C-alpha cells in the first residue's frame, strides 16, 4: 500500500510525516521475498521524490542493508534495490558519494553481468546517475570497472538496456578528456556510431549525446568520432521527427566543428552547414541553439568557411533567430554567430549588413530589457561587422541612432570609404549624411574628430560650410576681411 501511495505526489508529505521510512526499513529483511521487494520499491519511490527523503534513506542507515542484499537476492529485489540507489544518488553529489562510501559500486558493477536484462538496466541507470555529478564520482565508477561492461550492454538486443548504457557512457565522458578517453579505449565509439540510424528515437538521442560528450574535449577525440564514419549519416538525424534527436545531432556537429578549420571543412564538404541551416529553420527555441553556435564556430575559423555559411544562406536564418526568438541566450548566440561571419572582409560584412541585421543588433544592445550577455555579444558583433563594413547605406542610419562608442566605428568606416568613392561622396551629401557629421560633437584631437576631419577634407570648403554653422561663420569673416582689404563695397 505504501509503495502504491508513493506513486502520487500528493501523498508524499503525509507518508513522510507518518515516519514511513523507519517502518519500511525492517521490512527489507522480511522472510517473505515479495515484502522485501515491495519495501525496496516503496523506499525508491519516496527517495526519488525529493532531496529530504533521499537523505532520510541515508541517515536511516538503509544503504548498507540494500547493498548487502543486492548481491544475495533474486532479480526482482536487485532491480528494486538498484532503483533505490539511483533515486538517492540522483539528487546531489553528496548523496551520490554516500552510495559510493557504502560500497555500492562494486555490487552494481557485478549486476551489469547479471543474466537478466532488467537487472543490468537498473544497475546501469544507477551508475549513470552517480557519474553525472562530477569528475571524482565518474572516476569512481570507472575505477570500479563499469565502462567495459557498459559497452557490452550497448551491444545487447534490448533497446531499453542500450538506451540506459549509452546514457551512462555519456555521463561518464562529459567531465574530462581523461574520462572520455577511458570510454574510447574500450571501443565505445564504433558501437555508438553504428546505432545512429537505429529507428528508436530515445536511443538515438542518447547515442548522439554520448558521441558529443566524447568529441567536445579535444581535437584527437573529435577526430576519432569522425573516423567512425558518422558523416554524412548523422546529417539524417537533423531531419528527425524527434526534436531532441535534432538538438543532439546539432550538438555533435557543433562539438566537432569548434576544434579546427580542417574538421569544419570536412563538415562543409559533407553538406553539414546547409543541413544545420535547414534544421534551424524547422524548429524553435533551445532546439536551435547548438545549430546557431555551430554556424558561428565554422565561420570563426576562416574567410572561406564563413563564406560557405553565407552561400548556404545562413545569414538570413540567423537574422530570423535574432529577431524572432524570445529568449535572450538564443539571441546572444545568434548575435555572436553573425559577428563571426561579418568580421572577415568587407564582402562578409556586407552579406550581414544587407539583411538589416545591424539595426536589430543596435536595439538589442541599447535595450534595458536585454540581459548583460546579450548586450555584450550584440556590441561585439556590431563592432566586428562595422570594422569591415564598407556598404554605406547600411551604416548611415547609425549616424542618427548609435551611442558614442558605436558612432566612432561608423564614422571611421565613412572616413575610409569616402576619399576613394566619388559616387558615395555625392550620395552622402544628398542623403543628409554630411550634415549629420557636422552636428557630431567630438573632443578636440580625439580619434572621432580625426575621422570627421578626414571626411570634411573629401569635400570643397563651400560644401562643408553649407552644413557647418561654425565653419560657415569663419568663412564669412574671412571673406569679409578680404573685401575690406580690397575696399570692395558689399551688400
Amino acid at each position: 500500500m505504501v509503495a502504491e501511495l508513493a506513486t502520487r505526489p500528493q501523498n508524499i508529505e503525509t507518508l513522510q510525516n507518518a515516519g514511513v521510512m523507519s517502518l519500511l526499513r525492517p521490512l527489507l529483511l522480511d522472510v517473505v521475498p515479495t515484502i522485501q521487494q515491495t519495501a525496496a520499491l516503496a523506499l525508491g519511490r519516496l527517495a526519488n521524490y525529493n532531496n529530504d527523503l533521499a537523505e532520510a534513506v541515508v541517515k536511516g542507515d538503509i544503504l548498507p542493508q540494500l547493498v548487502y542484499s543486492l548481491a544475495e537476492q533474486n532479480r526482482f529485489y536487485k532491480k528494486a534495490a538498484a532503483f533505490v540507489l539511483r533515486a538517492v544518488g540522483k539528487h546531489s553529489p553528496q548523496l551520490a558519494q554516500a552510495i559510493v562510501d557504502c560500497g555500492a559500486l562494486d555490487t552494481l558493477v557485478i549486476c551489469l553481468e547479471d543474466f537478466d536484462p532488467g537487472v543490468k538496466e537498473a544497475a546501469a541507470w544507477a551508475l549513470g546517475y552517480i557519474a553525472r555529478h562530477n569528475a571524482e564520482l565518474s572516476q569512481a565508477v570507472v575505477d570500479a570497472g563499469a565502462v567495459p561492461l557498459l559497452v557490452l550492454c550497448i551491444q545487447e538486443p534490448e533497446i531499453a538496456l542500450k538506451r540506459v548504457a549509452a546514457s551512462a557512457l555519456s555521463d561518464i565522458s562529459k567531465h574530462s578528456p581523461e574520462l572520455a578517453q577511458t570510454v574510447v579505449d574500450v571501443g565505445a565509439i564504433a558501437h555508438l556510431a553504428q546505432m545512429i540510424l537505429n529507428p528508436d528515437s530515445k536511443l538515438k538521442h542518447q547515442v548522439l549525446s554520448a558521441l558529443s560528450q566524447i568529441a567536445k574535449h579535444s581535437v584527437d577525440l573529435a577526430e576519432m568520432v569522425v573516423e567512425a564514419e558518422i558523416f554524412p549519416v548523422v546529417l539524417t538525424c537533423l531531419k528527425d521527427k524527434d526534436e531532441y534527436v535534432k538538438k543532439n545531432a546539432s550538438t555533435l556537429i557543433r562539438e566537432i566543428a569548434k576544434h579546427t578549420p580542417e574538421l569544419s571543412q570536412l563538415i562543409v564538404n559533407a553538406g553539414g552547414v546547409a543541413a544545420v541551416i535547414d534544421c534551424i529553420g524547422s524548429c524553435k527555441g533551445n532546439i536551435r541553439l547548438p545549430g546557431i553556435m555551430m554556424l558561428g564556430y565554422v565561420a570563426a575559423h576562416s574567410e572561406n568557411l564563413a563564406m560557405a555559411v553565407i552561400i548556404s544562406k545562413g545569414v538570413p536564418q540567423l537574422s530570423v533567430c535574432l529577431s524572432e526568438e524570445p529568449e535572450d541566450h538564443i539571441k546572444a548566440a545568434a548575435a555572436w554567430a553573425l559577428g563571426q561571419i561579418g568580421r572577415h572582409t568587407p564582402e562578409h560584412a556586407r552579406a550581414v549588413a544587407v539583411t538589416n541585421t545591424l539595426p536589430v543588433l543596435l536595439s538589442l544592445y541599447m535595450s534595458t530589457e536585454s540581459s548583460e550577455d546579450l548586450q555584450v555579444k550584440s556590441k561585439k558583433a556590431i563592432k566586428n561587422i562595422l570594422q569591415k563594413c564598407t556598404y554605406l547605406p547600411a551604416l548611415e542610419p547609425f549616424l542618427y541612432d548609435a551611442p558614442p562608442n558605436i558612432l566612432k566605428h561608423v564614422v571611421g568606416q565613412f572616413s575610409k570609404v569616402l576619399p576613394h568613392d566619388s559616387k558615395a561622396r555625392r550620395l552622402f551629401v544628398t542623403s543628409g549624411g554630411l550634415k549629420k557629421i557636422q552636428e557630431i560633437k567630438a573632443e578636440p584631437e580625439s580619434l572621432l574628430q580625426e575621422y570627421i576631419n578626414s571626411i570634411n577634407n573629401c569635400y570643397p570648403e563651400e560644401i562643408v560650410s553649407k552644413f557647418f554653422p561654425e565653419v560657415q561663420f569663419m568663412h564669412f569673416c574671412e571673406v569679409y576681411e578680404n573685401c575690406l582689404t580690397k575696399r570692395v563695397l558689399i551688400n
Side-chain angles (χ1 to χ4, degrees), residues 91-403:
H91 292 290
S92 70
Q94 292 75 25
L95 288 168
Q97 188 63 53
I99 292 172
V100 175
D101 293 342
C102 73
L105 291 184
D106 291 336
T107 311
L108 287 169
V109 169
I110 291 169
C111 288
L112 288 178
E113 298 182 274
D114 198 274
F115 178 75
D116 185 82
V119 174
K120 290 181 182 178
E121 183 186 338
W125 214 332
L127 288 166
Y129 270 52
I130 293 166
R132 70 174 49 180
H133 290 294
N134 57 45
E136 290 74 22
L137 288 164
S138 188
Q139 188 64 55
V141 171
V142 170
D143 293 341
V147 173
L149 295 172
L150 288 169
V151 173
L152 288 174
C153 287
I154 63 174
Q155 300 171 60
E156 295 286 345
E158 291 81 14
I159 292 293
L161 178 56
K162 286 178 183 284
R163 286 180 198 155
V164 176
S167 176
L169 290 171
S170 177
D171 288 328
I172 292 167
S173 302
K174 72 181 182 180
H175 299 291
S176 70
E178 292 75 23
L179 287 164
Q181 189 65 53
T182 305
V183 173
V184 171
D185 288 343
V186 292
I189 290 176
H191 297 295
L192 290 167
Q194 289 172 3
M195 293 187 284
I196 288 174
L197 289 181
N198 191 288
D200 184 76
S201 293
K202 290 181 180 177
L203 177 57
K204 280 192 283 191
H205 175 196
Q206 300 298 349
V207 165
L208 292 166
S209 173
L211 290 170
S212 300
Q213 299 293 5
I214 293 168
K216 75 178 184 181
H217 293 292
S218 69
V219 177
D220 289 342
L221 288 168
E223 286 177 347
M224 288 180 187
V225 172
V226 170
E227 286 165 7
E229 299 182 356
I230 64 166
F231 290 105
V233 175
V234 73
L235 302 182
T236 61
C237 296
L238 295 171
K239 298 179 181 179
D240 200 274
K241 293 178 183 177
D242 188 290
E243 290 198 329
Y244 289 101
V245 172
K246 284 184 181 180
K247 183 180 180 182
N248 284 9
S250 297
T251 303
L252 172 56
I253 298 167
R254 178 194 72 193
E255 298 298 356
I256 294 168
K258 74 180 184 183
H259 290 294
T260 65
E262 291 74 22
L263 285 169
S264 282
Q265 188 63 58
L266 184 148
I267 292 167
V268 171
N269 294 345
V273 168
V276 167
I277 291 166
D278 288 343
C279 178
I280 293 171
S282 68
C283 54
K284 302 286 184 186
N286 278 319
I287 310 299
R288 281 175 158 173
L289 186 58
I292 291 169
M293 294 179 69
M294 176 266 182
L295 295 179
Y297 281 127
V298 170
H301 286 304
S302 71
E303 292 178 17
N304 290 339
L305 288 166
M307 189 54 69
V309 176
I310 292 169
I311 291 168
S312 299
K313 297 182 171 56
V315 174
Q317 193 61 67
L318 289 170
S319 298
V320 168
C321 295
L322 190 69
S323 302
E324 284 187 359
E325 285 296 332
E327 297 289 336
D328 277 9
H329 67 283
I330 302 175
K331 288 179 183 285
W336 170 78
L338 287 163
Q340 297 306 312
I341 294 168
R343 71 182 177 87
H344 293 286
T345 69
E347 189 178 358
H348 291 80
R350 179 175 179 137
V352 177
V354 296
T355 60
N356 205 34
T357 296
L358 286 169
V360 179
L361 287 169
L362 182 63
S363 67
L364 291 171
Y365 166 57
M366 297 182 69
S367 173
T368 55
E369 295 181 3
S370 295
S371 67
E372 184 180 352
D373 182 53
L374 177 54
Q375 288 178 329
V376 169
K377 289 205 166 51
S378 297
K379 179 186 175 183
K380 182 69 173 174
I382 292 168
K383 185 177 176 182
N384 283 344
I385 297 162
L386 287 181
Q387 287 178 337
K388 293 294 181 181
C389 188
T390 57
Y391 181 59
L392 300 188
L395 296 181
E396 208 158 308
F398 277 68
L399 293 174
Y400 301 89
D401 302 327

Side-chain angles (χ1 to χ4, degrees), residues 1-175:
M1 180 59 73
V2 173
E4 180 63 30
L5 288 171
T7 59
R8 291 186 286 276
Q10 62 267 30
N11 298 330
I12 299 294
E13 190 176 345
T14 306
L15 290 170
Q16 189 176 4
N17 293 337
V20 76
M21 289 289 186
S22 58
L23 297 172
L24 288 169
R25 182 172 178 252
L27 298 180
L28 292 172
L29 297 175
D30 197 272
V31 293
V32 181
T34 308
I35 293 175
Q36 293 178 9
Q37 295 152 23
T38 314
L41 182 63
L43 283 168
R45 286 174 177 170
L46 290 165
N48 195 51
Y49 185 72
N50 65 29
N51 193 76
D52 291 342
L53 287 164
E55 284 185 356
V57 171
V58 175
K59 289 174 182 175
D61 210 26
I62 292 170
L63 291 180
Q65 204 168 301
L66 281 169
V67 173
Y68 173 76
S69 302
L70 194 61
E72 305 294 329
Q73 296 288 350
N74 62 32
R75 60 195 175 102
F76 300 107
Y77 185 88
K78 286 179 180 178
K79 282 189 275 189
F83 170 55
V84 179
L85 295 174
R86 171 186 124 208
V88 171
K90 80 172 191 177
H91 292 290
S92 70
Q94 292 75 25
L95 288 168
Q97 188 63 53
I99 292 172
V100 175
D101 293 342
C102 73
L105 291 184
D106 291 336
T107 311
L108 287 169
V109 169
I110 291 169
C111 288
L112 288 178
E113 298 182 274
D114 198 274
F115 178 75
D116 185 82
V119 174
K120 290 181 182 178
E121 183 186 338
W125 214 332
L127 288 166
Y129 270 52
I130 293 166
R132 70 174 49 180
H133 290 294
N134 57 45
E136 290 74 22
L137 288 164
S138 188
Q139 188 64 55
V141 171
V142 170
D143 293 341
V147 173
L149 295 172
L150 288 169
V151 173
L152 288 174
C153 287
I154 63 174
Q155 300 171 60
E156 295 286 345
E158 291 81 14
I159 292 293
L161 178 56
K162 286 178 183 284
R163 286 180 198 155
V164 176
S167 176
L169 290 171
S170 177
D171 288 328
I172 292 167
S173 302
K174 72 181 182 180
H175 299 291

Side-chain angles (χ1 to χ4, degrees), residues 467-484:
F467 298 115
F468 196 175
E470 186 181 346
V471 173
Q472 188 175 5
F473 178 71
M474 290 173 63
H475 181 62
F476 171 78
C477 291
E478 187 181 340
V479 171
Y480 185 75
E481 189 176 342
N482 288 339
C483 291
L484 290 176

